[in-house]
């Protein structure tokens, strides 16, 4: 069964973009997933296909009209898929969300432009509002691309045995340990000795300790959750 992604967007040419390359692009070609970028402009009003208007209450910028967005949503078959609206006002998108989306039939991503979408259509549609970080993008398309990339790599058959989702950052609530490859000596810097030892248990201990050290230093939030025992089913951060 093909995992189905739909993007509702005013810029359909932004898709597949990077999703047409590398791992996700090969999976797209192989039919593991599909991507339908729907132009919401088609639902715009009048000869000029207007999709936005000024905010009630005043203020800068434009807001996407609820009638136009609702018509665009009505124009697709959700087929049991969640409707996701990327916005800096959303709750933080986590690897647990990605796993949930990837395990289902697919997702529909509503890509906002301008200042955003009228709140009423978000309420009425039951859209899940998610943020990919505390910064402002110029629109939802890049956030949608991030979300879809993260989902697609988890679909069965996408990652080969060479690419593991088990040991990566967040898999156990910790950031991933540092990685090294050949040459063993480079620019006066050595690879940690234990990694050359072939002693699997010692390597596992070293990696666990390194994961803990980097998580404590860089992500006190993840570290606190991990120590509280909440880190059982969370992913590590690269
Ligand atoms: N749209 C604009 N900025 C965003 C962000 N940080 N996360 C998700 N969607 C966005």
């Amino acid at each position: 069964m093909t995992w189905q992604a739909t993007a509702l967007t005013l810029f359909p040419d932004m898709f597949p973009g990077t999703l047409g390359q590398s791992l996700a692009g090969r999976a797209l070609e192989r039919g593991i997933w599909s991507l339908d970028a729907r132009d919401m402009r088609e639902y715009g009003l009048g000869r000029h296909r207007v999709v936005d208007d000024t905010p009630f209450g005043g203020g800068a910028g434009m807001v996407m009209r609820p009638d136009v967005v609702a018509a665009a949503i009505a124009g697709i078959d959700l087929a049991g898929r969640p409707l996701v609206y990327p916005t800096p006002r959303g709750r933080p998108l986590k690897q647990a969300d990605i796993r949930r989306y990837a395990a289902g039939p697919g997702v529909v991503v509503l890509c906002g432009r301008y200042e955003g979408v009228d709140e009423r259509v978000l309420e009425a549609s039951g859209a899940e509002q998610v943020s990919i970080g505390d910064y402002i993008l110029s629109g939802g398309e890049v956030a949608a691309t991030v979300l879809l990339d993260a989902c697609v790599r988890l679909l069965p058959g996408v990652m080969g045995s060479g690419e593991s989702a088990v040991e990566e950052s967040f898999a156990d609530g910790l950031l991933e340990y540092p990685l090294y490859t050949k040459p063993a000596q480079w620019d006066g810097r050595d690879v940690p000795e234990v990694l050359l030892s072939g002693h699997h248990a010692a390597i596992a201990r070293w990696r666990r300790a390194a994961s803990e050290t980097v998580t404590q230093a860089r992500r006190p939030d993840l570290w606190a959750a991990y120590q509280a025992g909440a880190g059982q089913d969370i992913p590590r951060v690269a």
Side-chain angles (χ1 to χ4, degrees), residues 202-213:
I203 291 168
R205 277 193 302 274
W206 182 88
R207 285 179 165 168
R208 166 63 56 166
S211 279
E212 292 181 356
T213 301

Side-chain angles (χ1 to χ4, degrees), residues 41-148:
R41 182 73 61 187
E42 288 175 15
Y43 298 91
L45 306 176
R47 194 162 60 84
H48 296 292
R49 295 269 174 257
V50 170
V51 297
D52 58 345
D53 213 319
T54 54
F56 281 125
M62 300 292 272
V63 178
M64 291 179 70
R65 292 178 55 114
D67 46 1
V68 172
V69 173
I73 294 169
I76 56 168
D77 181 6
L78 283 172
R81 295 174 295 169
L83 176 65
V84 184
Y85 175 58
T87 166
R89 299 180 62 239
R91 63 172 167 72
L93 180 68
K94 297 289 176 59
Q95 188 68 13
D97 298 307
I98 298 299
R99 282 196 290 262
R100 172 167 54 86
Y101 299 146
V107 292
V108 178
V109 190
L110 170 61
C111 302
R113 277 277 153 177
Y114 317 115
E115 298 305 306
V117 172
D118 185 289
E119 188 71 17
R120 293 166 296 178
V121 70
L122 297 175
E123 283 171 19
S125 64
E128 273 189 53
Q129 302 192 37
V130 298
S131 169
I132 66 159
D134 292 339
Y135 40 77
I136 314 295
L137 302 169
S138 51
E141 287 79 7
V142 168
T145 298
V146 167
L147 185 154
L148 294 175

Side-chain angles (χ1 to χ4, degrees), residues 194-195 197-207:
V194 64
L195 300 180
S197 70
H199 189 324
H200 298 302
I203 291 168
R205 277 193 302 274
W206 182 88
R207 285 179 165 168

Side-chain angles (χ1 to χ4, degrees), residues 7 9-18 35-39 141 145:
T9 175
L10 293 173
F11 298 93
D13 292 348
M14 292 180 75
F15 296 95
T18 66
L35 177 57
D36 183 18
R38 290 291 188 87
D39 189 354
E141 287 79 7
T145 298

Side-chain angles (χ1 to χ4, degrees), residues 22-44:
S22 188
L23 207 65
R26 279 196 299 277
L28 195 54
E29 284 167 10
R30 288 164 58 204
I32 294 177
W33 70 296
S34 67
L35 177 57
D36 183 18
R38 290 291 188 87
D39 189 354
M40 285 193 284
R41 182 73 61 187
E42 288 175 15
Y43 298 91

